[in-house]
Amino acid sequence: MALHASEVKRDLVVLWSSTETLGKEYTYGTVHRNMESVFNYLGYRLKYVEVNYELSAWSKKNQIKNYAGVLTFFFDNKIKEVKNYIDFLSSVIENNIPLLVMGEWGFVNENLRKNKAEIDQLLKRLSLKAEFTEYDNPLLFKVLKKLDHVEFERKIKNELLRVVTINNTGPSSRVHLSIEVKGEEKPADVIILDDRKFFYAQRGFEIFENPYNKVSNWRIDPFYYFGKVLGNENPIPDVTTLNGNRIAFFHIDGDGFINTSEIDRTKTSGEIIISEILKRYSLPTTASVVTSEIDSNFFGTKKSENLAREMFRNPFIEVASHTFAHPLSWSMVPDEQDIKAYVDDRNIKKHKGPILAYKVSGYQMDYYKEVVESVEYINQNLLSKNKKTQVLQWSGNCRPPEIAIELVEKQGLAQLNGGDSRFDKTFNSYTGLSALYRQVGQYLQVYSGAANENIYTNLWQGPFNGFINVIDNFKNTDSPYRIKPINIYYHFYSGEKVSSLAALKSIYDWVLTQEINPLFASEYVQVVKGFESARIDKIKKNHFRITNNGLLRTIRFDKTILTPDYNLSKNVVGHFVKNNSLYVSLGDLDQTDIVLSNQNTSNVYISHSNSIIDKVLIKNNEMFLRGKANVPLEIKLSNGKIIKGSRGNFRDLKVAL
């Protein structure tokens, strides 16, 4: 019998409105800033379509049946082309594509009467009926029905501030939160779920944002609701784990390399970080320099150049550029938000042109010089012939335009930074976690895995030991959901203060108590790009084929009791279970077949390792391994045996079973 494989849909269309964002860019919106990390965790790639200007053309070029679902999220009701919008949502329903409507509908404005017949018909197809009457008097409200999962991170008690009347009429959909409005005949159904079909969460009941400090929290449980409406039985490309261990990567922005250290005023911050952190821990680290700060022709000295050369000679240091003059805004004409953030109050009104951290006499921002020439300077002046720059670490607001990113990609470099992801005592929510990347034209800008010490020290104003709180972030993103890797991301100026250096050492010491798989930053970028490119095909029940996954070597299955059948699977080297999820480890072949079974395997497999395992072969009761370790090698097998070795590449490593 012929097998008919079907591709697992991973692309989710997000409709957004540029009327709601300062920078007229989707990355300023709530979905990207506060929600996308959860969708990424569930395996989805979000494709943003601006509802007013892009939707019509997009609909003509793309078939909605090829997508996993559609999400709409609006704060306002300013959609201009209402008919196009309604037609699009109707096609979503006709094709049985899951639809998530959160926040406002977008058309509750002067178009409501004009398009009433079309709107009523759309709502009817969703088993809804609405008058869209708005009430904002909390004295009129009473909770009639409240199911689990509607108060995930924040309660609604004493926060019922606004309700819009809408009612569920369908037999298959279920109301999860219903609010009685005094004087209204029927209650307002503000959270509704129809499994694998439709989810609705009214504005104010999906995410809470504190109006004073802008800290937000989920009200609904996004893991539960998104999983229910989109389905959660498919395999998920996972960027947090490699061969059973949590991915950890370490990268340093070049700022402050030449600053005098208060710890020892005869030394620079760069010297302190090199001796007290890099040499002490010997972990794979991607270290960058701002070339105008190092170059003796600008702000540097012969000493700073020699120190950079010494640092880059270490085999566990990967070389990166942090640009030439450290642009704070990557726009040639900075917007109001960047001007307020980076220009002194006294100069805001008269400021013109780009904003640079390092004021080089006579220099105006030039993307080629910031990217290409900064890399050329490092390669030609600071490195030996057998070593080259591998990464460009974005500076300032980390919002480079496509033309700058293209220069990096054409150099064959990885590029990283942005996101400022955090989940700690101050930002105690999954909404503080960033997406994996920002789509800029045809390119991906991969975000860092965690916020750096500049964020935790209030832009280096203190407390200078504030970075210690990133440990809470690492803990919160590991359980109950391993949603982020570990990323120790900081600047050389952390070597200035006694307390900042002490915090950094405490963070490193804690990380070394964890089961980690240390990568260079360029390798993590490859993992994320593998998430974007990976294709998953369902061959038949419990049989999946993975291709185009690159260095992404972990596929996760949530809420399953099954495990790999190693005799039927191909390119599967191991597995382990965490948080009720099965993590399957892959080798380096172009195609992987994962066949799951409810039978316990008798095969010996890799449960955990701190290395990249490319291949495992078992023959005559011996295991042969090939791969690479960025730290001294450790491999734990399912039979309890532990293999240890040196860092570096290993081929045909033989282990008696």
Side-chain angles (χ1 to χ4, degrees):
M1 181 182 293
L3 297 177
H4 298 285
S6 60
E7 183 176 1
V8 174
K9 298 175 184 177
R10 296 181 52 224
D11 292 331
L12 189 77
V13 178
V14 179
L15 299 186
W16 69 285
S17 174
S18 57
T19 63
E20 301 177 353
T21 58
L22 287 174
K24 305 300 181 185
E25 183 183 321
Y26 82 86
T27 56
Y28 287 95
T30 298
V31 175
H32 182 71
R33 290 188 300 109
N34 304 126
M35 298 184 182
E36 188 167 345
S37 62
V38 176
F39 286 108
N40 291 160
Y41 172 80
L42 296 173
Y44 294 102
R45 303 171 293 210
L46 271 54
K47 307 301 177 183
Y48 290 84
V49 180
E50 207 285 333
V51 68
N52 293 305
Y53 306 108
E54 297 176 349
L55 181 58
S56 179
W58 186 92
S59 299
K60 294 175 182 177
K61 293 180 181 179
N62 297 272
Q63 292 188 320
I64 194 61
K65 66 181 181 180
N66 295 327
Y67 289 81
V70 172
L71 166 66
T72 74
F73 186 94
F74 303 116
F75 272 121
D76 62 28
N77 282 286
K78 297 182 180 179
I79 292 179
K80 298 176 181 179
E81 300 295 333
V82 172
K83 189 175 185 309
N84 284 342
Y85 174 53
I86 292 174
D87 288 345
F88 175 75
L89 293 186
S90 297
S91 71
V92 171
I93 298 167
E94 288 170 6
N95 284 278
N96 296 314
I97 303 299
L99 174 63
L100 301 87
V101 176
M102 301 172 70
E104 300 290 356
W105 285 88
F107 49 53
V108 184
N109 50 32
E110 65 275 6
N111 291 297
L112 193 58
R113 289 186 179 180
K114 179 181 176 182
N115 300 98
K116 188 176 188 310
E118 292 91 341
I119 291 172
D120 286 347
Q121 182 61 28
L122 172 69
L123 295 176
K124 184 178 180 181
R125 299 178 75 170
L126 293 170
S127 300
L128 298 175
K129 189 173 183 179
E131 295 298 328
F132 293 115
T133 304
E134 181 178 338
Y135 292 89
D136 59 4
N137 183 354
L139 298 177
L140 301 178
F141 305 150
K142 178 183 177 181
V143 176
L144 282 187
K145 182 178 183 180
K146 182 176 68 175
L147 301 188
D148 293 339
H149 307 294
V150 302
E151 294 179 313
F152 180 56
E153 293 179 342
R154 192 174 182 95
K155 305 291 185 182
I156 61 173
K157 185 178 180 181
N158 298 324
E159 292 183 356
L160 290 174
L161 304 178
R162 173 186 179 271
V163 164
V164 175
T165 56
I166 191 166
N167 300 111
N168 171 57
T169 62
S172 63
S173 50
R174 189 179 184 192
V175 175
H176 282 232
L177 181 60
S178 184
I179 309 296
E180 179 185 64
V181 181
K182 190 174 182 179
E184 279 282 345
E185 182 180 345
K186 293 183 178 180
D189 299 330
V190 297
I191 297 179
I192 303 168
L193 175 66
D194 191 347
D195 288 7
R196 301 306 298 266
K197 183 178 179 181
F198 177 63
F199 173 65
Y200 171 66
Q202 197 170 113
R203 180 160 71 88
F205 296 96
E206 75 294 57
I207 281 181
F208 167 85
E209 183 175 81
N210 188 310
Y212 300 103
N213 61 13
K214 301 302 181 183
V215 174
S216 56
N217 298 92
W218 282 104
R219 290 205 194 274
I220 62 166
D221 181 345
F223 299 95
Y224 173 80
Y225 284 113
F226 298 167
K228 277 288 187 180
V229 72
L230 295 170
N232 52 15
E233 70 280 358
N234 288 320
I236 297 166
D238 189 280
V239 304
T240 70
T241 304
L242 181 60
N243 291 313
N245 283 13
R246 191 177 183 186
I247 288 174
F249 67 105
F250 313 81
H251 74 292
I252 313 173
D253 281 351
D255 318 33
F257 189 85
I258 63 174
N259 292 10
T260 299
S261 175
E262 295 177 9
I263 299 167
D264 180 346
R265 292 190 178 277
T266 67
K267 295 182 178 180
T268 63
S269 296
E271 289 177 277
I272 295 295
I273 292 297
I274 291 169
S275 62
E276 295 295 320
I277 300 296
L278 299 183
K279 290 183 177 179
R280 175 176 179 171
Y281 293 99
S282 297
L283 288 164
T285 302
T286 304
S288 68
V289 292
V290 179
T291 57
S292 66
E293 184 187 55
I294 300 300
D295 190 344
S296 57
N297 292 308
F298 298 102
F299 304 110
T301 62
K302 295 299 182 183
K303 179 182 177 180
S304 63
E305 291 175 332
N306 288 332
L307 185 62
R309 292 187 188 103
E310 176 194 338
M311 175 179 70
F312 289 143
R313 275 197 293 269
N314 288 299
F316 53 84
I317 297 298
E318 179 177 64
V319 183
S321 168
H322 196 40
T323 74
F324 168 69
H326 195 293
L328 295 171
S329 170
W330 279 85
S331 174
M332 292 296 184
V333 183
D335 60 26
E336 181 181 351
Q337 183 169 312
D338 281 348
I339 291 174
K340 286 183 177 179
Y342 299 118
V343 177
D344 185 274
D345 290 343
R346 295 169 296 179
N347 298 317
I348 282 180
K349 291 185 178 180
K350 60 182 180 181
H351 178 82
K352 294 181 180 180
I355 309 172
L356 303 172
Y358 292 78
K359 308 296 191 296
V360 178
S361 178
Y363 173 69
Q364 292 293 316
M365 184 164 66
D366 178 342
Y367 296 138
Y368 189 85
K369 189 169 186 65
E370 295 295 338
V371 173
V372 179
E373 291 188 8
S374 72
V375 170
E376 288 177 347
Y377 167 79
I378 295 171
N379 288 343
Q380 294 170 10
N381 295 279
L382 304 180
L383 305 182
S384 59
K385 292 182 179 180
N386 61 348
K387 205 165 190 179
K388 297 294 181 185
T389 304
Q390 301 296 323
V391 182
L392 191 290
Q393 294 173 199
W394 298 111
S395 62
N397 68 357
C398 296
R399 290 181 178 274
E402 184 176 8
I403 186 174
I405 294 176
E406 184 176 42
L407 288 171
V408 178
E409 294 290 332
K410 285 185 174 180
Q411 293 290 305
L413 304 175
Q415 32 113 7
L416 180 70
N417 276 354
D420 296 335
S421 189
R422 63 184 296 188
F423 184 177
D424 47 53
K425 293 173 184 175
T426 303
F427 289 84
N428 190 24
S429 171
Y430 285 99
T431 61
L433 300 178
S434 69
L436 289 176
Y437 51 76
R438 165 180 174 248
Q439 185 83 44
V440 188
Q442 62 178 310
Y443 301 107
L444 297 186
Q445 175 195 335
V446 176
Y447 287 151
S448 62
N452 59 47
E453 90 284 36
N454 190 49
I455 302 295
Y456 279 97
T457 58
N458 299 305
L459 307 183
W460 203 238
Q461 297 300 305
F464 293 106
N465 66 344
F467 196 28
I468 193 73
N469 293 310
V470 79
I471 294 175
D472 289 331
N473 175 50
F474 297 151
K475 291 177 180 178
N476 290 337
T477 54
D478 191 43
S479 181
Y481 304 100
R482 180 176 282 182
I483 192 171
K484 287 286 182 183
I486 288 172
N487 176 203
I488 302 183
Y489 167 32
Y490 56 102
H491 300 75
F492 278 106
Y493 55 67
S494 272
E496 278 186 28
K497 310 282 185 181
V498 172
S499 59
S500 59
L501 181 65
L504 196 54
K505 288 180 177 179
S506 295
I507 296 164
Y508 271 86
D509 291 340
W510 180 87
V511 168
L512 290 178
T513 67
Q514 308 299 298
E515 286 190 312
I516 60 172
N517 198 325
L519 299 183
F520 288 107
S522 65
E523 293 171 327
Y524 173 71
V525 169
Q526 291 179 56
V527 171
V528 174
K529 287 189 172 183
F531 173 91
E532 171 68 16
S533 63
R535 174 178 172 134
I536 302 174
D537 287 282
K538 184 175 183 179
I539 307 302
K540 60 181 180 179
K541 184 178 180 180
N542 295 330
H543 181 180
F544 298 92
R545 181 164 293 156
I546 319 297
T547 52
N548 300 327
N549 55 296
L551 196 56
L552 185 139
R553 300 281 187 83
T554 300
I555 300 295
R556 194 182 79 244
F557 295 82
D558 290 338
K559 298 177 182 177
T560 182
I561 60 172
L562 305 179
T563 56
D565 184 324
Y566 286 88
N567 295 319
L568 297 178
S569 297
K570 175 186 176 184
N571 197 41
V572 173
V573 301
H575 74 272
F576 89 114
V577 175
K578 179 180 175 64
N579 300 332
N580 294 318
S581 293
L582 169 69
Y583 291 75
V584 179
S585 303
L586 315 184
D588 68 350
L589 296 182
D590 293 336
Q591 178 179 304
T592 297
D593 281 271
I594 301 174
V595 179
L596 300 180
S597 170
N598 58 8
Q599 302 295 316
N600 291 328
T601 182
S602 59
N603 297 67
V604 178
Y605 57 87
I606 294 170
S607 61
H608 294 275
S609 180
N610 62 0
S611 64
I612 301 172
I613 304 291
D614 291 331
K615 186 177 181 179
V616 173
L617 175 66
I618 297 178
K619 186 177 181 180
N620 298 328
N621 210 35
E622 290 182 322
M623 177 180 282
F624 298 86
L625 300 123
R626 173 167 55 82
K628 173 196 173 190
N630 290 324
V631 292
L633 175 67
E634 182 174 282
I635 301 173
K636 296 180 181 179
L637 302 182
S638 58
N639 63 1
K641 181 164 285 192
I642 297 177
I643 305 160
K644 294 192 175 184
S646 58
R647 74 169 80 207
N649 296 323
F650 52 92
R651 296 182 61 85
D652 297 325
L653 177 63
K654 185 169 70 172
V655 181
L657 300 179

